[in-house]
Amino acid sequence: MDIKVTRTIQTGSRPKDADLGFGTSFTDHMFVMDYSVDKGWYDLRIEPYGDFAMSPAAMVFHYGQAIFEGLKAYKTPDNKIQLFRPRDNLKRMNRSARGLCMPEFDIDTVMDALKQLVKLEEKWIPKTHGTSLYIRPTMIATDPCLGVRSSFTFRFFIILCPVGAYYSEGFNPIKICVAKDHVRAVLGGVGEFKTAGNYAASHHATEKAKKDGYAQVMWLDALERKYIEEVGSMNIFFVINDELVTPHLSGSILPGITRYSVIALAQKWGMKVSERQISIDELFLAHKDGSLTEVFGSGTAAVISPVGEIRYGKKTIHIGDGTSGKISMKFFDALTGIQYGKEQHTEDWIEVVD
Ligand SMILES: *Cc1c(COP(=O)(O)O)cnc(C)c1O
């Protein structure tokens, strides 16, 4: 399918690497395509970044039919542009689309559009280690209709933002708080899909935790309020008796691409890995008997985020000695080494944009 390219005459400039935040500055262009039942996906275009004109009755505003993805483009030392497992993001987006009664798209076509867009915006990709170009594919329901049903028309778009190093003050462990009164997602719901509503549902507990000084909320399963699910926008890993333990994909957990990558590396390194149910009580007992040595989150934004403190009700545990653990560091170094093209590797996780 042909992609029509309209270039802007008013180009912006990328903030200095040290001033890059997360998701506040956007590049000059975006990719957009529309869907109707008759035409399928049509009008594929790269056009100047700008506001959408849309009916206030557009279904996305009322019934939340919206899905998205998050991935990054990295600059290598020899100035190549690399994407990390981008097809896995697009496959997951198609899964989310099926889950929310939205239309799937052709992965090769969107991959092509994504690469063209990233190439066009090359000057927006920061170079300092830790900085990158964040890529946000999104799909929304556009029917101007308040009747409750799935939309017949949709818009898909990709926007880009240069983002700063997640760890501007170093790789320090974060404090997290277990949600006791709230749940993120329930089995049979949409927890395993990357949909806007999961985030809308998480703000109440997260804002409260932030007020209390915690960076993120750790969610428990919605049925028994016992088994650990995930943390904020990250999957969670524990090192217990030198074994890497992570909650299995229960159906209400987001299947993270960083999570799959951590598991694959651990298996390659000969570490024992289990994807299984792990209860909050088991975690606190493992801390008590000294077998819990590290906790870290995994996700595209931070890659690996060591956890130093977990609160559950009135109890708080401290993990390790307050610095980030060796195993967390090893995963962080290995993954970022591959992403930034600084490490030799045998994984086929990189797609070069040229
Ligand atoms: C995106 C996301 C993750 C992490 O997925 P990655 O593919 O590793 O970035 C984890 N949990 C939630 C809720 C998410 O939305």
Side-chain angles (χ1 to χ4, degrees):
M1 270 193 275
D2 263 358
I3 300 170
K4 185 169 173 251
V5 180
T6 312
R7 287 177 180 243
T8 177
I9 39 168
Q10 262 190 317
T11 60
S13 57
R14 167 160 60 85
K16 284 203 224 61
D17 286 8
D19 299 338
L20 288 168
F22 191 93
T24 48
S25 91
F26 299 92
T27 70
D28 296 325
H29 300 89
M30 60 186 176
F31 170 74
V32 186
M33 61 179 180
D34 290 296
Y35 177 92
S36 72
V37 176
D38 304 343
K39 293 196 251 187
W41 288 108
Y42 67 96
D43 203 2
L44 282 66
R45 57 213 191 260
I46 287 173
E47 59 186 27
Y49 180 93
D51 296 348
F52 290 141
M54 198 166 283
S55 165
M59 289 184 117
V60 64
F61 299 134
H62 305 276
Y63 307 123
Q65 209 175 5
I67 56 174
F68 65 93
E69 272 301 326
L71 67 157
K72 286 172 170 175
Y74 308 85
K75 262 283 160 96
T76 67
D78 54 356
N79 239 9
K80 281 209 274 275
I81 309 170
Q82 299 201 144
L83 302 168
F84 183 72
R85 309 187 73 169
R87 284 170 199 274
D88 292 325
N89 287 91
L90 298 182
K91 278 186 213 153
R92 184 171 69 188
M93 193 162 184
N94 268 341
R95 268 191 83 234
S96 300
R98 290 195 292 278
L100 277 104
C101 287
M102 300 171 88
E104 291 181 56
F105 49 78
D106 178 63
I107 300 221
D108 287 329
T109 304
V110 171
M111 199 58 228
D112 187 41
L114 194 158
K115 283 182 169 176
Q116 268 195 53
L117 179 65
V118 169
K119 185 70 193 166
L120 178 66
E121 305 291 58
E122 180 161 12
K123 69 160 187 172
W124 286 91
I125 311 175
K127 280 192 188 166
T128 314
H129 189 76
T131 66
S132 56
L133 186 71
Y134 186 77
I135 303 168
R136 169 56 59 89
T138 310
M139 193 194 299
I140 55 172
T142 50
D143 267 16
C145 173
L146 296 185
V148 180
R149 58 163 171 79
S150 177
S151 186
F152 300 139
T153 60
F154 296 87
R155 176 162 291 175
F156 175 100
F157 55 93
I158 303 175
I159 52 175
L160 309 174
C161 354
V163 296
Y166 203 85
Y167 300 108
S168 43
E169 308 107 51
F171 192 58
N172 295 323
I174 59 166
K175 288 163 63 169
I176 60 178
C177 177
V178 180
K180 278 204 110 169
D181 304 327
H182 298 89
V183 293
R184 172 184 169 273
V186 66
L187 200 60
V190 292
E192 62 177 338
F193 305 125
K194 221 167 168 74
T195 178
N198 286 332
Y199 281 86
S202 73
H203 293 325
H204 190 93
T206 307
E207 290 306 316
K208 191 179 172 300
K210 282 186 183 161
K211 257 190 215 129
D212 295 340
Y214 295 88
Q216 298 268 356
V217 164
M218 182 149 92
W219 302 103
L220 300 182
D221 79 279
L223 290 177
E224 297 183 63
R225 304 270 182 109
K226 200 168 138 186
Y227 298 104
I228 298 166
E229 297 238 298
E230 58 181 313
V231 173
S233 53
M234 297 191 291
N235 295 109
I236 188 88
F237 286 86
F238 307 101
V239 181
I240 302 174
N241 282 325
D242 297 323
E243 178 182 357
L244 193 63
V245 179
T246 193
H248 73 294
L249 299 175
S250 60
S252 47
I253 295 176
L254 201 287
I257 291 160
T258 321
R259 175 185 180 278
Y260 285 125
S261 309
V262 165
I263 293 171
L265 286 177
Q267 284 166 340
K268 189 171 111 173
W269 295 340
M271 267 184 99
K272 207 171 158 213
V273 185
S274 14
E275 295 177 65
R276 61 168 172 89
Q277 281 192 320
I278 172 165
S279 70
I280 189 71
D281 293 338
E282 177 186 344
L283 187 75
F284 274 62
L285 281 173
H287 175 263
K288 202 168 175 188
D289 71 19
S291 55
L292 174 71
T293 48
E294 288 188 39
V295 179
F296 62 88
S298 74
T300 296
V303 188
I304 296 293
S305 186
V307 174
E309 184 178 325
I310 303 174
R311 190 181 97 185
Y312 176 51
K314 292 195 170 64
K315 290 182 283 184
T316 295
I317 56 173
H318 295 268
I319 299 111
D321 59 4
T323 65
S324 54
K326 274 205 196 86
I327 294 173
S328 312
M329 294 280 272
K330 191 174 170 191
F331 283 114
F332 181 76
D333 291 341
L335 286 167
T336 55
I338 295 171
Q339 290 164 340
Y340 288 89
K342 294 187 174 175
E343 290 291 330
Q344 290 286 338
H345 59 94
T346 51
E347 278 71 35
D348 61 348
W349 290 344
I350 292 299
E351 202 153 320
V352 174
V353 179
D354 43 29

